[in-house]
Amino acid sequence: QKEVEQNSGPLSVPEGAIASLNCTYSDRGSQSFFWYRQYSGKSPELIMSIYSNGDKEDGRFTAQLNKASQYVSLLIRDSQPSDSATYLCAVLNSNYQLIWGAGTKLIIKP
Amino acid sequence: GAGVSQSPRYKVAKRGQDVALRCDPISGHVSLFWYQQALGQGPEFLTYFQNEAQLDKSGLPSDRFFAERPEGSVSTLKIQRTQQEDSAVYLCASSMATGGVYEQYFGPGTRLTVT
């Protein structure tokens, strides 16, 4: 079992709809959680960080963390074609190592 | 302020050549990370510095890989006797890593192709 798991996709969502991206992790002592967006041929770009249970909203993005169930999700409201990218989940584990998922490819269809 | 910069952006090396990849982190960031990213995969950890100290090099795939950060700012990743399997994008990231803040910010990467 990988430490951080994501569905590789592609996840196809109509423009204007909500895109929901999920990530599970295995180290129950993990304490910090990050979502990065990576466009093809570019480096990862930090879009959200979340440290405590519950929701954290930033514009059209909402990160949700449930430590009991060991999952973190990212919701993108009013999806735009420019949101099409690979979304990487990264988890800071109990050894202070940042562990990365393989990413979910998101496609927003006009 | 300036972000993380890396050079060169692209490097083509013949098998057996040595290469050196440079990373200039965000000013004031004490932590610096090197990652290797293959196509369609997430970044794979290589090594980590806190200031000039290399605290973790467990991800370096072989003793052909060497990294340094002698003055606690700019870092160089060196690959000796390059092999085709070394072809990848090498990403550098920096972080404040203080006060519970662990966000990492990435440079544009160096795409290494070994022929």
Side-chain angles (χ1 to χ4, degrees), chain A:
Chain A
Q1 181 191 8
K2 290 185 177 180
E3 278 199 59
V4 177
E5 298 211 50
Q6 297 181 255
N7 188 316
S8 62
L11 175 65
S12 184
V13 173
E15 183 176 358
I18 296 175
S20 178
L21 303 159
N22 298 310
C23 171
T24 59
Y25 60 94
S26 60
D27 184 346
R28 191 168 284 278
S30 299
Q31 49 192 282
S32 304
F33 307 85
F34 308 93
W35 283 101
Y36 285 78
R37 176 176 62 198
Q38 187 171 27
Y39 292 113
S40 181
K42 302 293 186 183
S43 60
E45 173 192 8
L46 179 68
I47 52 173
M48 290 285 286
S49 59
I50 186 165
Y51 297 92
S52 54
N53 275 330
D55 294 0
K56 179 182 178 182
E57 186 175 319
D58 184 0
R60 295 187 296 112
F61 298 95
T62 299
Q64 299 175 319
L65 174 61
N66 184 324
K67 290 186 177 180
S69 300
Q70 294 176 242
Y71 81 80
V72 56
S73 61
L74 180 70
L75 302 179
I76 307 174
R77 288 183 300 282
D78 188 23
S79 297
Q80 303 296 310
S82 59
D83 295 327
S84 298
T86 295
Y87 288 79
L88 296 162
C89 172
V91 176
L92 192 72
N93 69 11
S94 53
N95 293 321
Y96 291 91
Q97 296 171 320
L98 195 63
I99 308 299
W100 295 80
T104 298
K105 185 173 183 178
L106 176 65
I107 299 172
I108 306 300
K109 291 191 170 181

